[in-house]
């Protein structure tokens, strides 16, 4: 990537539009120079912002890049044209900013928020590549092969930062390298190993606690011969470490409880056998008891219900005798159903008569309306003709009103022009007054400064002998008399002025004189402008009012005249609008008169049609009324509704009679069936009891004996269940113990491995090279590459005297090392600390280190093509010879197609680097000047 042209507008300290044409420099060294704070580094900020949308420093935000010097309506933006891969590209960005609105709001311009604007295009192919910031950032990183942070570190070399790298210790360099080379991932590995070691140690402790809790669940019966041993183990606090003893005890109590369980199961089987025999005897006795109770209850039911069964049979027979009545009712229902269609015909005839009556009423109403409409239209025709006659001369009235309106508009325009002239004259008068006052003050300041200079010059001249005497030396000739002996040299008075102080007062007087001249020139210009404003005012007032009133009365006269003309203009406008409406009405009347004539003719035709409709409707009504009367004479009920209501009542009566018969017959059948069933149960009970009514056992005694045996069986079952539960718990506990022991073994093996790895990775394992963490080791590899690249430049700039070396041995085995650095002085053969270098030597070492970092980062990013570099300050600490050597190295670095800009204000650089971008700082913002 190589910049070709940078355009900035309202950006940073640059108020207007500034262009840096890098294409004119093409390649090699160039100088970015200018006073402090002028905006030298902003050039690089603008390049980085155009490419990646971010500024170079952590404190620089894109939103705050808008220039404080810029006008409110001027857009802040950066545009960079650059070449890459044989093609030319254009990157444009305007940050989110506040600008003056294009239109006035409530009579004034206000600041409004403008969103970010982005454009990225290939000028070679004429293609638009991106229109959004995030999309452009992604494309830029893919195309250049580096991130915004890497771009800032490769292309911009800030000397202060690399001087910090030069003089920092291992801990500080570790932080810097982490940021430059992105070694966070190795630090994360260290932290993950340390955290894993901590977690595994905690899991081991938890494993012992789990074993302690598991063994604590074991319970042993007080009747067990091993109870005392269990109590002894259970009382110990280190149960988690005694799993073997618990496992041995578990085997013993398991065998003991298994034997008790087998014995209980045998006793339970015998008890269940006795219960089975007893249940057979109880069952036989319960069968006889049930038969006796069934016989007694059924005999009693037959005795109580025989009469009820006879009554139900008699009631059913009485209802069956009413069959003729039900048949007659059914015949009446059938006759009424057959007549229902005639009722529908009657309803239809009645509806037709009602419809015919409504149509007759409608026809009579339409005839009346048509007659009334004819009368109305005749009256309307007369009114329209009279109105048309009254509007015959409206065009002449409109022409006269328009002429008056034009004249009033011209007069109002003249008044507005005159009022603007009054304001301009007042403003110019105030400006002239201020300029005149400023000129007087500047002239007074010049007089005072000149007086101070003259007095100082006289005072200094009076002390000139003392000034010369102060420079006399023994055996050296006097510059005035030539004598080498100075017996009584003149002495300076206490507090005597120096030549520098007199020169400073002279410079102040000259500056005051220049300020006074400038102020006088501005006052003369302001006076001339005020005179012109007065002449313009007089001409405008004469044109507006026809006369020139006194100065105090001009504004009031113009205001009064404007009010009068505005009132007259409003009145004429109202009259004109009214006349225009009347003209529209006149044009409308011709059409209305024609339409009214057509409507009148149609209305007269509608009257005749309506009279015909009335006659036909009367004939239709009479026919429908006669049909309805004929049908009604043959029907029993007056309407179909009444006939259906009577039919519904008859059908309900027939259904009630039928339901009563069916219920009586059903009740009779049910009673007869129940009587028959009771008789059958009596016979069955008598057969069961025949020959079995004597010699039976006591049923209650048998049940008491069974309850006793059942209680014994339940006791056996409970004991067996408890033993079974304990045996299950013993087996489960054995499994839990084995599982915990296996997990603990795996944890102990992994914890030993992770602990050793964490100690090595985090530098907790001491060695000959000291305590070197994993991240520091990786950084050391990068550091060796940086130092190798840096020494190629440092040996040239130092005349092969100095070589930077990484310290590989620690002072003691417990020190945190790995990134310490020394310098080898070949003049003395001594290896010493880098903080012993002088200021100029430190700069050369820092610059070499910075270039080395740039080389390694570019190689790390895949051999990217970056044909531009900026070096920010640092040359002020060098002597002339060292500065020339540094320039030679940079010039050699730029010997190919690379463009290297040095940001500095050092005079020696201005002499040795002819191609310069000069930043000029003013009170209204900075500007750019190319000197190539």
């Amino acid at each position: 990537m190589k910049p070709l042209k940078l355009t900035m507008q309202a950006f940073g300290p640059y108020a207007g539009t500034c262009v840096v044409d890098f294409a004119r420099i093409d390649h090699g060294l160039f100088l970015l120079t200018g006073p402090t704070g002028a905006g030298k580094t902003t050039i690089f900020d603008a390049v980085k912002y155009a490419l990646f949308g971010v500024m170079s420093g952590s404190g620089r935000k894109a939103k705050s890049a808008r220039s404080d010097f810029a006008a409110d309506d001027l857009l802040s933006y950066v545009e960079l044209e650059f070449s890459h891969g044989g093609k030319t590209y254009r990157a444009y960005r305007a940050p989110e900013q506040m600008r003056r609105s294009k239109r006035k709001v409530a009579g004034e311009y206000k600041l409004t928020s403008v969103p970010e604007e982005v454009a990225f295009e290939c000028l070679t192919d004429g293609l638009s590549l991106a229109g959004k910031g995030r999309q452009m950032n992604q494309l830029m990183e893919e195309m250049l092969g580096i991130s915004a942070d890497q771009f800032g570190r490769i292309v911009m070399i800030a000397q202060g930062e690399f001087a910090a790298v030069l003089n920092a210790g291992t801990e500080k360099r570790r932080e810097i390298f982490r940021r430059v080379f992105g070694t966070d991932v190795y630090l994360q590995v260290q932290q993950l190993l340390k955290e894993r070691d901590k977690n595994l140690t905690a899991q081991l402790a938890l494993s012992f606690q789990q074993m302690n809790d598991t063994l604590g669940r074991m319970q042993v019966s007080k009747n067990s011969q091993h109870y005392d041993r269990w109590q002894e183990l259970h009382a110990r606090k280190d149960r988690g470490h005694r799993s073997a003893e618990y496992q041995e005890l578990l085997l013993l109590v398991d065998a003991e409880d298994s034997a008790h369980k087998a014995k209980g199961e045998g006793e339970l089987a015998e008890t269940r056998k006795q219960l089975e025999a007893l249940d057979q005897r109880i069952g036989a006795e319960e069968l006889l008891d049930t038969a006796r109770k069934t016989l007694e209850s059924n005999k009693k039911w037959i005795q109580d219900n025989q009469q009820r069964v006879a009554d139900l049979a008699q009631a059913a027979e009485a209802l069956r005798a009413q069959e003729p009545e039900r048949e007659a009712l059914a015949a009446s229902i059938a006759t009424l159903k057959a007549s229902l269609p005639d009722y529908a015909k009657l309803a239809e005839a009645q509806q037709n008569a009602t419809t015919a009556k409504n149509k007759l009423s409608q026809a009579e109403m339409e005839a009346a309306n048509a007659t009334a409409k004819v009368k109305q239209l005749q009256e309307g025709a007369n009114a329209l003709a009279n109105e048309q006659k009254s509007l015959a001369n409206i065009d002449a009235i409109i022409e006269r009103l328009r002429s008056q309106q034009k004249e009033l508009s011209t007069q109002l325009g003249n008044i507005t022009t005159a009022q603007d002239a009054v304001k301009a004259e007042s403003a110019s008068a105030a400006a002239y007054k201020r300029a005149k006052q400023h000129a007087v003050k500047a002239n007074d300041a010049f007089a005072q400064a000149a007086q101070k200079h003259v007095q100082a010059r006289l005072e200094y001249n009076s002390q000139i002998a003392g000034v010369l005497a102060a420079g006399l030396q023994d055996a050296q000739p006097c510059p005035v008399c030539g004598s080498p002996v100075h017996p009584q040299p003149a002495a300076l008075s206490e507090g005597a002025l120096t030549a520098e102080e007199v020169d400073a007062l002279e410079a102040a007087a000259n500056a005051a004189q220049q300020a006074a001249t400038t102020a006088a020139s501005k006052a003369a210009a302001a006076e001339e402008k005020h005179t012109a404003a007065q002449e313009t005012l007089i001409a405008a007032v004469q044109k507006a009012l026809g006369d020139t009133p006194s100065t105090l009365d001009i504004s009031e006269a113009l205001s009064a005249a404007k009010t009068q003309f505005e009132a007259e203009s409003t009145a004429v406008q109202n009259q004109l609008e009214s006349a225009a409406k009347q003209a529209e009405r006149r044009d409308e009347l011709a059409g209305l008169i024609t339409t009214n004539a057509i409507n009148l003719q149609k209305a007269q035709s509608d009257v005749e049609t309506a009279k015909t409709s009335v006659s036909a409707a009367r004939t239709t009504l009479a026919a429908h009324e006669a049909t309805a009367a004929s049908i009604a004479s043959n029907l029993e009920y007056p309407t179909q509704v009444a006939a259906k209501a009577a039919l519904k009542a008859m059908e309900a009566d027939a259904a009630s009679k039928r339901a009563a018969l069916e219920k009586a017959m059903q009740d009779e059948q049910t009673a007869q069936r129940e009587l028959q069933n009771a008789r059958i149960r009596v016979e069955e009970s008598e057969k069961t009891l025949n020959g079995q009514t004597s010699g039976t056992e006591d049923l209650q005694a048998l049940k008491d004996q069974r309850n006793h045996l059942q209680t014994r069986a339940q006791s056996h079952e409970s004991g067996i269940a408890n033993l079974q539960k304990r045996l299950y718990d013993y087996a489960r506990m054995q499994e839990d113990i084995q599982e915990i022991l296996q997990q603990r073994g795996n944890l102990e093996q992994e914890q030993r491995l992770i602990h050793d790895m964490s100690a090595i990775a985090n530098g907790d394992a001491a060695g000959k090279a000291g305590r070197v963490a994993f991240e520091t080791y990786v950084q050391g590899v990068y550091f060796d590459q940086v130092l190798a690249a840096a020494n190629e430049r440092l040996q040239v700039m130092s005349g092969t005297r100095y070589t930077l070396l990484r310290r590989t041995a620690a002072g003691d085995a417990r020190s945190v090392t790995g990134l310490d650095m020394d310098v080898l002085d070949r003049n003395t053969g001594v290896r010493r600390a880098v903080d012993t270098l002088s200021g100029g030597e430190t700069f050369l070492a820092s610059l070499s280190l910075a270039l080395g970092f740039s080389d390694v980062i570019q190689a790390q990013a895949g051999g990217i093509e970056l044909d531009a570099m900026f070096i920010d300050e640092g040359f002020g600490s060098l002597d002339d010879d060292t500065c020339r050597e540094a320039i030679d190295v940079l010039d050699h670095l730029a010997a190919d197609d690379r463009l290297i800009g040095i940001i500095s204000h050092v005079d020696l650089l201005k002499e040795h680097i002819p191609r310069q971008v000069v930043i000029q700082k003013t009170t209204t913002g900075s500007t750019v000047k190319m000197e190539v």
Side-chain angles (χ1 to χ4, degrees):
M1 192 287 298
K2 185 176 183 180
L4 300 177
K5 184 171 72 172
L6 174 67
T7 303
M8 302 174 293
Q9 179 172 286
F11 190 81
Y14 302 97
T17 304
C18 295
V19 177
V20 181
D21 193 352
F22 293 109
R24 293 177 60 189
I25 303 173
D26 188 35
H27 69 280
L29 287 180
F30 71 96
L31 184 65
L32 264 168
T33 185
T36 301
K40 299 186 294 297
T41 306
T42 304
I43 301 294
F44 175 74
D45 285 343
V47 171
K48 185 175 181 182
Y49 175 68
L51 295 174
F52 295 98
V54 295
M55 308 288 277
S56 62
S58 59
R60 302 170 190 248
K61 305 297 182 183
K63 289 184 180 180
S64 63
R66 179 170 175 80
S67 176
D68 295 333
F69 299 103
D72 290 341
D73 60 346
L74 194 62
L75 178 69
S76 294
Y77 73 86
V78 172
E79 181 181 67
L80 176 67
E81 292 182 15
F82 65 95
S83 62
H84 183 77
K87 294 184 178 181
T88 303
Y89 297 88
R90 171 183 172 269
Y92 171 88
R93 292 183 194 259
E96 179 183 348
Q97 57 193 279
M98 300 296 293
R99 285 183 58 202
R100 191 179 71 181
S101 60
K102 295 182 178 180
R103 297 181 180 178
K104 290 184 178 181
V105 179
E108 61 181 4
Y109 293 103
K110 293 188 177 180
L111 292 180
T112 182
S113 178
V114 178
E116 180 187 28
E117 295 180 12
V118 170
F120 182 37
E121 58 185 342
C122 178
L123 300 179
T124 304
D125 299 334
L127 296 176
S128 176
L129 304 178
K132 293 184 178 180
R134 187 173 298 177
Q135 179 188 20
M136 179 174 172
N137 295 343
Q138 183 177 355
L139 287 175
M140 198 64 69
E141 289 191 14
E142 292 175 356
M143 187 174 74
L144 299 183
I146 54 174
S147 65
D149 185 62
Q150 288 175 317
F151 179 86
R153 300 194 177 282
I154 296 172
V155 178
M156 169 59 81
I157 296 180
Q159 292 302 321
E161 179 174 356
F162 288 98
V165 175
L166 186 71
N167 295 308
T170 290
E171 289 293 342
K172 184 62 177 177
R173 286 201 184 100
R174 183 185 296 171
E175 297 175 7
I176 297 172
F177 284 19
R178 182 179 301 138
R179 187 173 67 253
V180 173
F181 293 113
T183 58
D184 310 65
V185 63
Y186 304 105
L187 178 63
Q188 292 173 9
V189 170
Q190 294 175 212
Q191 294 170 343
L192 287 173
L193 286 171
K194 181 177 288 187
E195 188 64 25
R196 182 60 178 160
D197 182 23
K198 180 180 177 182
N199 290 340
L200 288 172
T201 302
Q203 289 179 37
L204 276 175
L206 180 61
S207 176
F208 281 103
Q209 183 60 43
Q210 287 176 338
M211 180 66 79
N212 189 73
D213 296 341
T214 299
L215 298 178
R217 296 200 313 268
M218 182 177 178
Q219 297 294 326
V220 176
S221 173
K222 292 183 179 180
N223 299 324
S224 172
Q225 59 181 335
H226 307 292
Y227 180 74
D228 293 340
R229 174 59 177 158
W230 171 77
Q231 270 196 322
E232 178 186 351
L233 286 174
H234 201 64
R236 300 183 68 93
K237 294 183 179 180
D238 60 343
R239 287 198 302 269
H241 298 272
R242 293 182 171 272
S243 57
E245 297 178 55
Y246 268 90
Q247 286 180 298
E248 180 182 354
L249 180 60
L250 279 170
L251 294 175
L252 294 174
V253 295
D254 182 270
E256 183 182 46
D257 285 348
S258 295
H260 289 321
K261 177 174 174 288
K263 179 180 179 182
E265 288 173 345
E267 294 175 351
L268 175 62
E270 180 62 27
T271 302
R272 285 177 175 170
K273 184 177 180 182
Q274 296 175 10
L275 276 171
E276 184 179 352
L278 189 59
D279 284 341
Q280 292 179 355
R281 295 164 59 190
I282 292 173
E285 287 300 323
E286 287 179 342
L287 180 63
L288 293 174
D289 186 63
T290 300
R292 284 192 293 272
K293 291 179 180 179
T294 301
L295 177 63
E296 293 174 2
S297 64
N298 280 279
K299 282 183 177 181
K300 185 176 184 307
W301 189 92
I302 291 172
Q303 183 179 355
D304 294 342
N305 288 277
Q306 277 183 335
Q307 184 59 44
R308 181 177 67 82
V309 172
D311 292 343
L312 289 173
Q314 185 178 358
E317 185 62 30
L319 289 174
R320 281 193 289 269
Q322 297 176 359
E323 182 64 22
E325 296 179 13
R326 291 192 294 276
E327 291 177 353
L329 183 59
S332 298
I333 291 172
T335 301
L336 184 54
K337 283 183 177 180
S339 68
L340 286 179
D342 292 335
Y343 283 102
K345 294 178 181 178
L346 174 61
E348 182 181 0
Q350 290 172 340
Q351 179 63 37
N352 290 338
T354 301
T355 301
K357 187 181 293 184
N358 292 337
K359 287 184 177 179
L360 176 60
S361 299
Q362 181 66 26
E364 289 174 344
M365 184 182 298
E366 288 176 355
N369 290 340
T371 302
K373 188 173 183 181
V374 168
K375 182 180 179 181
Q376 180 184 1
L377 289 171
Q378 287 174 341
E379 293 174 352
N382 295 333
L384 289 172
N386 292 333
E387 186 179 1
Q388 187 181 43
K389 183 177 179 181
S390 67
L391 296 175
N393 63 340
I394 193 64
D395 289 338
I397 295 174
I398 291 175
E399 187 62 29
R400 176 176 55 80
L401 290 172
R402 285 177 177 170
S403 178
Q404 293 178 7
Q405 186 185 46
K406 183 176 181 182
E407 182 179 353
L408 288 170
S409 177
T410 300
Q411 291 173 332
L412 283 171
N414 293 338
I415 289 175
T416 300
T417 300
Q419 287 178 326
D420 291 342
V422 170
K423 294 178 182 178
E425 190 277 336
S426 177
S428 66
Y432 171 51
K433 182 178 179 181
R434 290 194 300 272
K436 190 174 182 180
Q437 291 173 345
H438 182 65
V440 172
K441 290 181 180 178
N443 195 53
D444 291 343
F446 166 58
Q448 294 175 4
Q451 184 178 3
K452 288 182 179 179
H453 169 240
V454 171
Q455 290 176 348
R457 177 62 68 183
L458 292 174
E459 182 179 344
Y460 177 76
N461 290 340
S462 67
Q463 297 288 332
I464 193 64
V467 173
L468 294 173
L472 293 178
Q473 297 181 8
D474 290 339
Q476 295 294 327
C478 173
V480 177
C481 66
S483 173
V485 180
H486 319 293
Q488 285 186 326
L492 283 172
S493 302
E494 184 177 357
L497 292 173
T498 65
E500 289 77 7
E501 291 174 332
V502 175
D503 291 342
L505 289 173
E506 182 180 8
N510 292 335
Q513 182 181 17
Q514 180 62 36
T517 302
T518 301
S521 177
K522 290 183 178 180
E527 181 181 13
E528 183 179 351
K529 187 174 181 181
H530 175 53
T531 301
Q534 287 178 323
E535 294 174 354
T536 300
L537 173 61
I538 293 172
V541 170
Q542 288 178 344
K543 186 175 182 180
L545 302 178
D547 194 8
T548 306
S550 64
T551 304
L552 296 176
D553 297 333
I554 288 177
S555 295
E556 295 180 2
L558 288 172
S559 179
K562 184 176 182 180
T563 301
Q564 176 185 347
F565 287 141
E566 285 177 343
E568 292 177 4
S569 178
T570 300
V572 170
Q573 179 64 29
N574 292 337
Q575 294 174 17
L576 186 58
E577 291 175 357
S578 176
K581 291 179 180 178
Q582 290 176 348
E584 291 177 359
R585 178 62 177 170
R586 180 201 60 192
D587 296 339
E588 182 184 7
L589 285 174
L592 292 176
I593 290 173
T594 301
T595 302
N596 190 78
I598 295 171
N599 291 339
L600 177 59
Q601 183 179 0
K602 183 178 181 302
Q604 290 170 342
S605 175
D606 290 343
V607 169
E608 296 303 322
T609 301
K611 289 179 179 180
T612 303
S613 297
V614 169
S615 177
R618 285 174 180 166
T619 302
T620 302
L621 175 60
H624 288 308
E625 287 177 342
T627 301
S630 174
I631 296 172
S633 63
N634 297 322
L635 297 174
E636 181 180 358
Y637 298 96
T639 64
Q640 188 182 45
V641 174
K644 287 184 176 180
L647 176 61
K648 185 176 181 181
M650 287 189 287
E651 288 177 339
D653 187 24
S656 176
K657 289 180 176 354
R658 185 168 56 252
L661 175 61
E662 291 175 352
K663 184 177 185 306
M665 293 174 65
Q666 184 178 5
D667 291 344
E668 178 190 12
Q669 292 174 359
T670 301
Q672 290 289 355
R673 188 166 54 252
E674 290 175 348
L675 179 60
Q676 181 65 25
N677 291 337
R679 288 172 178 169
I680 292 172
R681 285 193 292 273
V682 168
E683 291 178 2
E684 291 176 349
S685 298
E686 287 176 346
K687 288 180 180 179
T688 301
L689 292 172
N690 188 22
Q692 301 293 332
T693 57
S694 61
T696 60
E697 297 185 75
D698 185 352
L699 181 61
Q700 186 58 47
L702 292 174
K703 289 183 177 181
D704 291 343
Q705 184 180 354
R706 187 186 187 287
N707 290 338
H708 175 71
L709 289 174
Q710 183 68 32
T711 301
R712 184 192 301 172
Q714 290 175 351
S715 175
H716 286 315
E717 289 173 350
S718 176
I720 292 171
N722 290 335
L723 289 169
Q724 182 65 41
K725 182 180 182 305
R726 284 211 298 271
L727 290 171
Y728 173 79
D729 290 343
Y730 297 154
R732 181 64 182 272
M733 189 172 295
Q734 286 280 20
E735 294 176 359
D736 292 346
I737 291 172
Q738 291 299 325
E739 182 179 354
I740 293 173
L741 288 174
Q742 183 176 358
Q743 291 176 350
R744 184 190 300 170
N746 295 336
L747 282 173
E748 288 174 341
Q749 182 178 359
E750 183 179 1
Q751 194 271 339
R752 285 193 296 270
L753 175 63
I754 295 298
H755 178 76
D756 293 343
M757 290 175 63
S758 176
I760 294 172
N762 285 281
D764 295 332
K768 290 191 299 182
R771 296 166 57 193
V772 180
F774 184 28
E775 182 191 26
T776 308
Y777 176 80
V778 174
Q779 290 174 346
V781 174
Y782 282 122
F783 198 14
D784 288 340
Q785 297 174 10
V786 170
L787 291 179
N791 284 327
E792 291 182 9
R793 278 76 179 224
L794 180 59
Q795 289 182 6
V796 175
M797 287 188 283
S798 66
T800 70
R801 178 177 179 181
Y802 293 116
T803 300
L804 297 175
L805 302 173
R806 184 167 70 92
R807 193 180 306 162
T808 57
D812 59 78
R814 295 172 296 175
S815 302
V816 178
T817 60
L819 301 178
D820 292 330
M821 182 170 52
D822 294 325
V823 59
L824 174 62
D825 187 344
R826 298 187 183 279
N827 287 355
T828 62
V830 176
R831 179 171 177 164
R832 51 192 172 91
V834 291
D835 57 8
T836 61
L837 294 171
S838 66
E841 292 168 342
T842 298
F843 167 72
L844 294 179
S846 300
L847 177 58
S848 301
L849 198 61
L851 294 172
F853 268 103
S854 178
D855 290 344
V856 173
I857 293 174
Q858 290 192 62
Q860 182 187 15
I864 58 174
E865 297 180 10
L866 291 177
D867 296 325
M869 178 182 293
F870 294 84
I871 301 175
D872 192 3
E873 287 297 346
F875 287 85
S877 61
L878 303 182
D879 57 47
D880 290 354
D881 292 338
T882 305
C883 185
R884 291 188 188 94
E885 291 176 352
I887 293 173
D888 289 341
V889 170
L890 294 175
D891 200 23
H892 177 73
L893 187 63
D896 48 16
D897 199 36
R898 182 177 291 189
L899 187 67
I900 298 181
I902 298 177
I903 302 174
S904 179
H905 57 271
V906 175
D907 291 336
L908 183 63
L909 293 176
K910 296 178 184 179
E911 297 175 5
H912 285 80
I913 304 177
R915 295 184 297 179
Q916 299 178 10
V917 177
V918 181
I919 312 300
Q920 297 173 327
K921 182 179 180 181
T922 70
T923 57
T924 58
S926 297
T927 60
V928 174
K929 179 183 178 183
M930 302 286 293
E931 295 183 357
V932 295

